[in-house]
Amino acid sequence: MAEHTSSSITIEAAPADVMGVIADFARYPEWTGEVKEAEVLSLDDQGHAEKVRLVLDAGAIKDDHTLAYTWTGDHEVSWTLVKSQMLRAIDGSYALAPIGDGDRTEVTYRLTVDVKIPMLGMIKRKAEKVIIDRALAGLKKRVESVPKA
């Protein structure tokens, strides 16, 4: 699983505002498109989601899976697969970097997916790219539409 797909986007908001949306799993169905349900199963010592069950409908891939999340400060979150019906593995991360005076954020999303059904590497990478691009576009739209506190 050494190969991964990644992409970045600039969001017109501070990193804390972006991470706030990323950490709000209950609202994922409102902006991700593919996530139909999200349920936080456990929290870590800082109150961050540690295990999350997600019901995914991404066209050809429909799955009910659980991910384990690791939070690195307020600038990165990564996840790995705990259990799934269709996936053998899924590793991903959002890394946030402030731009300029900090009212803009570069978000980099990395993803590696391994499905239980046979799939050509090229097709898998294309699927990862579509998932990443949709997620980043949805995240940008969601963060930029939320009124600032």
Side-chain angles (χ1 to χ4, degrees):
M1 295 236 323
E3 287 186 57
H4 68 268
T5 302
S6 69
S7 190
S8 297
I9 196 167
T10 299
I11 297 179
E12 300 296 323
D17 295 331
V18 177
M19 191 58 82
V21 170
I22 291 169
D24 188 1
F25 290 98
R27 297 195 182 267
Y28 271 37
E30 297 174 14
W31 62 268
T32 62
E34 287 84 12
V35 175
K36 302 306 177 194
E37 290 179 44
E39 176 188 7
V40 175
L41 302 175
S42 65
L43 301 173
D44 67 14
D45 294 340
Q46 285 77 43
H48 293 115
E50 187 175 51
K51 285 197 177 131
V52 180
R53 178 183 158 262
L54 300 164
V55 176
L56 183 74
D57 184 350
I61 298 178
K62 293 176 177 31
D63 195 28
D64 184 336
H65 59 265
T66 301
L67 301 178
Y69 286 81
T70 302
W71 303 83
T72 306
D74 57 0
H75 64 279
E76 186 172 353
V77 59
S78 59
W79 56 90
T80 59
L81 185 66
V82 174
K83 69 177 185 175
S84 168
Q85 297 170 351
M86 284 196 66
L87 302 173
R88 186 174 291 126
I90 182 168
D91 296 307
S93 67
Y94 281 111
L96 312 182
I99 299 173
D101 59 5
D103 61 350
R104 296 168 64 218
T105 304
E106 181 180 49
V107 180
T108 300
Y109 184 171
R110 289 195 149 138
L111 185 66
T112 303
V113 177
D114 192 9
V115 292
K116 291 179 181 175
I117 58 173
M119 186 180 284
L120 291 173
M122 179 179 68
I123 294 171
K124 190 166 46 169
R125 297 289 164 255
K126 182 162 176 52
E128 289 171 353
K129 180 79 170 131
V130 168
I131 291 168
I132 289 171
D133 289 348
R134 284 186 185 163
L136 286 174
L139 178 63
K140 179 179 175 68
K141 183 176 180 183
R142 178 70 178 193
V143 171
E144 291 179 357
S145 70
V146 174
K148 303 290 184 268

